[in-house]
Amino acid sequence: MDTPQEIVDIINKLEDGDKATLNSYIDELKSKINFDEEVKEEPMEEEVEGENDKEEEEEAVVDDEEDVGPLPPMYESGDDMDKATTYKMEASDLKSAGDYQSALEKYNLAVTTAPPSALLLANRGDVLYRLGQCKAAVRDCDVALEKNPDSAKALRIRGKAYKSLGEYEKSRKDLSASQAIDYDDGAAEDLKFVSEKMKEIESEKVKKKLEEEEKLRKRAEEIKKAQEEARREAEEEAASRENAMPDMSGMPGMGGMPGGMPGMGGMPG
């Protein structure tokens, strides 16, 4: 962000001390204003698992106390794929029935029994999101996207979780990327919502920026006015002192002394 020329002109007329103060203030303002935005599209997701994605339209209810609780377990060891598959199927049935807490317990078993896929982690993240544990949902989706950066579901669930957490810029980026991979009506509504929120936020940033610049302009004018007034008072005071000094040339006895001083004529011989 460049400083308006009008402000630069005013600052250049100030004394060095005031100029440094205002320049420091401007630098601080610039550091607070950031309009960077980057949304990139990702390639198509390859992994597919039988889950009812339409359920994702349900909104999460975030409980601040619950959301900072212990995170669900992650995979450490084990390779029983048959058990993991059974747990996943049971979790899927419980999730479809709306029993998210029981579904989470089954997903935990599936994740810890064998190396989890990106989609399994995204599905557990979905259940965590529905239970209001959005920070845990974000973590599961982070790990899922490390395994498969093209997972539309992980991007979509993380975008929804960010939306519930009020992190609208991150939400917009994830939802945009997920829509580019696999369009979803529910995600489209969420994307519309967070995009409107970002417009409001950016509009507020612009408003604050203009207000700060107006305050800065007024402050610069006040300093300039104070300096001019101080200079004018100093000039008036100097002129007043000069006018108050007496005119020494008109004092008696200070002129020429015609004929010499009285009694100082020729002295008798």
Side-chain angles (χ1 to χ4, degrees), residues 206-261:
V206 171
K207 180 181 177 182
K208 288 183 178 180
K209 169 179 167 259
L210 294 175
E211 288 175 352
E212 291 293 344
E213 287 185 348
E214 179 63 16
K215 288 180 182 178
L216 180 61
R217 186 185 66 79
K218 288 182 178 179
R219 176 59 179 159
E221 288 179 350
E222 288 172 0
I223 292 174
K224 180 182 178 182
K225 183 178 179 181
Q227 288 179 330
E228 290 176 349
E229 197 166 312
R231 190 178 298 111
R232 184 168 56 252
E233 289 177 356
E235 291 172 353
E236 291 175 354
E237 184 177 347
S240 178
R241 284 199 302 267
E242 185 177 340
N243 292 334
M245 292 180 63
D247 186 358
M248 302 299 293
S249 63
M251 291 183 65
M254 296 297 292
M257 293 184 288
M261 293 180 64

Side-chain angles (χ1 to χ4, degrees), residues 49-61:
E49 187 171 293
E51 289 288 342
N52 185 359
D53 289 347
K54 292 183 179 178
E55 294 175 359
E56 292 175 12
E57 296 177 7
E58 182 176 335
E59 285 292 329
V61 178

Side-chain angles (χ1 to χ4, degrees), residues 110-124:
V111 167
T112 56
T113 299
S117 66
L119 195 54
L120 172 56
L121 289 165
N123 283 329
R124 186 174 72 168

Side-chain angles (χ1 to χ4, degrees), residues 4 12-13 52 130 134 136 184 191 204 208 228-229 236:
N12 288 337
K13 297 177 182 179
N52 185 359
R130 295 170 192 280
C134 292
D184 177 84
L191 181 56
E204 187 64 24
K208 288 183 178 180
E228 290 176 349
E229 197 166 312
E236 291 175 354

Side-chain angles (χ1 to χ4, degrees), residues 102-160:
S102 297
L104 175 60
E105 292 170 6
K106 292 296 182 178
Y107 275 130
N108 288 343
L109 290 172
V111 167
T112 56
T113 299
S117 66
L119 195 54
L120 172 56
L121 289 165
N123 283 329
R124 186 174 72 168
D126 185 14
V127 169
L128 288 165
Y129 163 74
R130 295 170 192 280
L131 290 171
Q133 299 180 44
C134 292
K135 292 178 182 177
V138 167
R139 186 193 69 156
D140 269 13
C141 291
D142 286 344
V143 179
L145 289 165
E146 288 176 4
K147 293 175 175 289
N148 179 14
D150 305 331
S151 173
K153 185 161 190 175
L155 286 166
R156 184 158 55 245
I157 297 302
R158 192 172 69 174
K160 287 173 175 285

